[in-house]
DNA sequence: GTCTATATTCGGATAGAC
DNA sequence: GTCTATCCGAATATAGAC
């Protein structure tokens, strides 16, 4: 049941994403330049990295609203005045953090390419999703929990992203049904039931950590559960 | 695939819970009496019902922190001063709302009793959970989303409740394994994977409503999905 | 029991020296 | 680029008349 997918296991995936972190933050800088008064890129990248980390850390404990900019100032060791020359406003900080996550996800959650069989393609997508949400757990948690506080546009953008994932899964299921690999009736609903199994990993990771279940463990088990559900669907 | 369980369908369940609503609120009143300056029970029950409803409504849109007591005052039509003679403080209001949900759940999520087969008992628990979270959707959503802002004790109480549900499912799976009804390997992990399928219903209900999927539809499909996963587990 | 008016604290944001 | 000091609006909570 070990994956015959395009993945070389989680550690390699983790290293790759982390090594590109500065590039991702540079792109965030580029997209929000007008809002950032400091102009020296190397300085900005270093500071933004710290600001994003601490914001996610504090917000995920008490909520973004509850985090005062003063709290953030103390946590990062950057004074209020200085901080505001990087973030412009608290709302803009939110926007930058969302951009950050989207940049990372866009660069990593790529299509399988060489994989052909519907089942293999599905497995790959499920595993990659678990991997990326493991690397970026604080961001996914934040995005999920805070989305209802966003303004209309931002919220709808987030929801659209969510639905895209679900749609991707549904499409893969459709492929499988067309090739008589999965005996699934309603692929849309089935995809909707699979998605919470992906979200489970970043929403309740503490629970699995406490039980000693690691990323690859979870991916293996979750994929097996889904496979069983897809196979057994014939009997319904 | 229609349930041969102790349930007479959702509408009957809904009516029963709603008809007892005043009793539940009376119990909340009893448990928080010292914090409520107004003493006339009939008045308190009526006002608390409105206060709870509006609080859940506003909080579930923008978050409990973001809801000012002024907002609540305007929404309920009760003046600031008057409001404070019912809630003592915003934090106490939070406590009362949590009590409210716990009271309702304690009275409705009862054990199957006469049902014997492990599969039937599991189906019953899953369906009842979907039913109760449908009636009390705003409360469950609130409790899930706000729990990380609670103080230590309250948060741990909420988590304990969560784990109890998961444990209940795991125990039923164990029963089934013992009687060779389910070929499941790790019942703890399987229970952990089933739980998000229950939470899905109150966390993303808008999605299913938009697709025209009702409570009993969801319960049927979700239970079928779980059944298939349990059966197919043998092949792993 | 209900209201209006107000005390007080806190958080976002900026000015301006260095 | 970074800091300290400060402004100002908003939110919780209360006092006290009716």
């Amino acid at each position: 049941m070990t994956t015959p997918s395009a993945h070389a296991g989680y550690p390699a995936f983790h290293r790759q994403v982390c090594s590109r972190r500065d590039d991702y933050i540079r792109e965030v800088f580029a997209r929000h330049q007008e809002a950032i008064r400091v102009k020296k890129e190397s300085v900005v990248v270093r500071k933004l990295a710290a600001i994003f980390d601490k914001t996610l850390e504090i917000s995920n404990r008490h909520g973004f609203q509850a985090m005062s900019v003063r709290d953030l100032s103390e946590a990062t060791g950057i004074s209020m005045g200085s901080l505001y020359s990087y973030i412009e406003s608290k709302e803009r900080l939110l926007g930058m953090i969302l951009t950050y996550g989207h940049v990372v996800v866009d660069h990593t959650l790529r299509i399988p390419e060489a994989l052909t069989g519907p089942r293999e393609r599905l497995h790959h997508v499920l595993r990659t999703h678990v991997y990326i949400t493991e690397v970026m757990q604080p961001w996914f948690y934040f995005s999920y929990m805070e989305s209802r506080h966003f303004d209309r546009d931002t919220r709808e953008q987030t929801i659209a992203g969510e639905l895209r994932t679900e749609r991707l899964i549904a499409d893969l299921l459709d492929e499988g049904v067309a090739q008589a690999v999965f005996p699934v009736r309603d692929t849309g609903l089935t995809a909707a039931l699979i998605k919470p199994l992906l979200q489970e990993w970043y929403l309740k990771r503490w629970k699995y950590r406490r039980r000693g279940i690691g990323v690859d463990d979870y991916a293996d088990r979750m994929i097996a559960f889904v496979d069983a559900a897809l196979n057994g669907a014939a009997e319904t």
Side-chain angles (χ1 to χ4, degrees), chain A residues 194-207:
Chain A
I194 290 174
K195 187 132 150 299
L197 299 176
L198 296 175
Q199 299 180 317
E200 176 78 359
W201 182 248
Y202 61 87
L203 293 176
K204 321 230 184 82
R205 210 178 47 169
W206 57 272
K207 203 171 70 180

Side-chain angles (χ1 to χ4, degrees), chain A residues 67-217:
Chain A
M67 178 195 78
S68 73
V69 181
R70 278 182 166 76
D71 294 338
L72 183 58
S73 165
E74 284 165 28
T76 55
I78 304 170
S79 69
M80 286 291 287
S82 213
L83 197 49
Y84 267 96
S85 58
Y86 290 98
I87 65 174
E88 186 177 82
S89 71
K90 202 182 172 190
E91 191 173 336
R92 188 66 183 243
L93 168 60
L94 177 65
M96 292 196 286
I97 285 188
L98 293 181
T99 303
Y100 169 56
H102 290 135
V103 166
V104 178
V105 172
D106 281 356
H107 280 84
T108 51
L109 198 58
R110 285 284 161 77
I111 325 101
E113 304 282 341
L115 287 177
T116 49
R119 171 163 271 125
E120 287 70 32
R121 286 158 64 83
L122 178 64
H123 286 188
H124 181 89
V125 167
L126 298 183
R127 187 172 295 271
T128 308
H129 200 283
V130 173
Y131 281 3
I132 187 63
T133 57
E134 169 72 8
V135 185
M136 300 280 290
Q137 192 268 348
W139 185 86
F140 277 92
Y141 187 88
F142 178 89
S143 176
Y144 185 95
M145 286 300 192
E146 301 293 342
S147 63
R148 66 194 165 129
H149 311 315
F150 301 166
D151 61 82
R152 250 187 80 91
D153 281 2
T154 316
R155 195 173 57 246
E156 282 177 1
Q157 209 180 329
T158 305
I159 291 176
E162 291 283 299
L163 290 177
R164 207 159 46 227
T165 311
E166 201 169 317
R167 186 55 180 273
L168 176 61
I169 295 172
D171 288 346
L172 289 172
L173 291 178
D174 282 334
E175 268 185 46
V177 169
Q179 298 181 34
V181 178
F182 309 131
V184 176
R185 272 193 312 165
D186 183 340
T187 55
L189 184 71
T190 305
L193 290 174
I194 290 174
K195 187 132 150 299
L197 299 176
L198 296 175
Q199 299 180 317
E200 176 78 359
W201 182 248
Y202 61 87
L203 293 176
K204 321 230 184 82
R205 210 178 47 169
W206 57 272
K207 203 171 70 180
Y208 296 98
R209 177 161 295 170
R210 219 177 50 184
R211 290 191 195 176
I213 295 173
V215 210
D216 276 306
D217 290 329

Side-chain angles (χ1 to χ4, degrees), chain A residues 15-62:
Chain A
R15 270 194 306 277
Q16 204 198 0
V17 175
C18 289
S19 69
R20 299 202 180 143
R21 199 177 128 118
D22 281 5
D23 295 330
Y24 300 142
I25 294 184
R26 256 188 286 278
E27 190 165 334
V28 177
F29 178 36
R31 290 204 214 169
H32 289 269
Q33 223 157 8
E34 359 94 48
I36 300 173
R37 278 204 301 271
V38 180
K39 289 306 169 197
K40 194 164 179 162
E41 194 186 66
S42 63
V43 178
V44 174
V45 169
R46 192 158 22 94
K47 291 288 172 70
L48 282 187
I51 292 171
F52 293 170
D53 283 348
K54 291 296 180 188
T55 302
L56 291 176
E57 188 185 318
I58 301 172
S59 296
N60 286 347
R61 261 204 320 274
H62 305 295

